[in-house]
Amino acid sequence: MRVVKQFLAVVAVSLVGSRAVVAAQDNAWLSLILGVATAAAAILVYGWVVRRTERREVTELARDGAAARLNRGVLIGFAMFAAVIVNIALMGGYHVHGLGSVSGAVGIFGFMAAAAVTEELMFRGLLFRLVEERLGTWFSLLLTGVLFGLMHLLNPDASLWGATAIAIEAGFMLAACYAATRNLWVPIGLHFGWNFAAGGVFSVAVSGNGDSAGLLDAGTSGSTLLSGGDFGPEGSLYTVAAGAVLTVIFLWLAHRRGHIVTRRRRAAEAPAESVTVS
């Protein structure tokens, strides 16, 4: 029953907030305010419902060191996407035509803040963590990664390849990031840094959601395997490779720190309940 209550609470905030942000998409500053408000509300609701249903401190969203962890994640996500774009550009698949739109970037900031927070709370904070308690880290990573990829099939320019790429480069990687750090701030920051770099700075399609109007007036071209096609650079083999490398690094860190939960391990002994990592 606690699982149902937790999901309903977070999903409710996500749906209401996302609809409000979409409705205000023509007003950049209102989109920013509503997006940040949705992110903050989702975090508060997650903390409240987890404390109420699990009767524990919500260590995965501990305030101590939260800003540093969030910033670390943003830097990793931004750097990862910038590296991908540079590689695509060197192969002739990304072109900058000039400066773009500051107001467009402002609106995208709000939208991506809401998306990164709500998706991480649902997929890593709830689904990954709760499945891991019963079935272990490896099965939970596989299951939640696949589901995360399948969710992106609902996007306007989605494709089976795009969903597969998202599962590998984002679903597995973000789950591995949570396993390594045992907090949600780093994966939230990583998710946001990646998405905002894509839409808010480099102005490319994000996960098949159409063109973005960010700080640069730019676009992609070439084969789908190079540029990602209509799905955006997340459908590029460069992105899949980058995500796979980070997944391996995060899983190595998780193993080194003793954060891998085996299937036979009791939930009460899982490190998610007792370990906080900087």
Side-chain angles (χ1 to χ4, degrees):
M1 192 64 178
R2 68 174 173 127
V3 177
V4 175
K5 290 179 180 179
Q6 291 173 359
F7 269 100
L8 287 178
V10 176
V11 169
V13 175
S14 175
L15 288 176
V16 173
S18 61
R19 291 195 176 190
V21 174
V22 170
Q25 62 184 342
D26 293 331
N27 186 321
W29 292 102
L30 183 57
S31 293
L32 172 65
I33 293 170
L34 290 174
V36 173
T38 298
I43 288 171
L44 290 174
V45 168
Y46 176 94
W48 172 79
V49 74
V50 169
R51 280 192 297 270
R52 184 179 179 86
T53 56
E54 298 186 19
R55 301 185 184 282
R56 66 174 179 87
E57 287 299 315
V58 187
T59 55
E60 64 269 27
L61 282 177
R63 293 182 182 180
D64 186 27
R69 290 166 179 162
L70 187 65
N71 290 336
R72 189 177 305 129
V74 172
L75 288 174
I76 294 171
F78 194 98
M80 177 184 173
F81 192 83
V84 167
I85 280 292
V86 167
N87 277 280
I88 294 176
L90 289 174
M91 295 298 293
Y94 176 74
H95 315 276
V96 178
H97 310 299
L99 296 179
S101 168
V102 173
S103 62
V106 168
I108 290 172
F109 187 103
F111 181 84
M112 294 308 180
V117 169
T118 55
E119 288 180 12
E120 289 311 301
L121 293 179
M122 286 188 288
F123 278 90
R124 263 58 69 175
L126 294 178
L127 188 58
F128 177 84
R129 181 174 59 82
L130 296 173
V131 172
E132 184 188 46
E133 287 180 2
R134 295 180 179 275
L135 301 175
T137 301
W138 299 111
F139 183 85
S140 184
L141 185 144
L142 177 62
L143 175 64
T144 58
V146 170
L147 290 177
F148 191 69
L150 290 176
M151 180 189 73
H152 288 77
L153 283 174
L154 301 175
N155 295 345
D157 293 320
S159 65
L160 183 58
W161 163 246
T164 302
I166 286 288
I168 297 170
E169 74 207 17
F172 297 159
M173 185 262 291
L174 289 166
C177 178
Y178 174 75
T181 62
R182 291 299 163 182
N183 71 77
L184 288 168
W185 296 116
V186 178
I188 284 173
L190 201 166
H191 194 152
F192 171 78
W194 171 269
N195 280 356
F196 182 70
V201 177
F202 296 104
S203 304
V204 294
V206 181
S207 307
N209 280 305
D211 294 333
S212 300
L215 294 176
L216 296 176
D217 177 10
T220 56
S221 63
S223 69
T224 297
L225 292 181
L226 170 66
S227 68
D230 292 338
F231 192 77
E234 286 159 315
S236 168
L237 285 178
Y238 282 116
T239 312
V240 174
V245 168
L246 270 183
T247 299
V248 171
I249 292 173
F250 283 133
L251 288 175
W252 174 77
L253 286 173
H255 181 268
R256 183 180 180 182
R257 295 169 176 175
H259 292 179
I260 301 296
V261 179
T262 62
R263 184 172 184 177
R264 294 185 181 137
R265 193 170 183 178
R266 296 179 60 183
E269 299 172 343
E273 304 295 328
S274 57
V275 177
T276 56
V277 180
S278 60

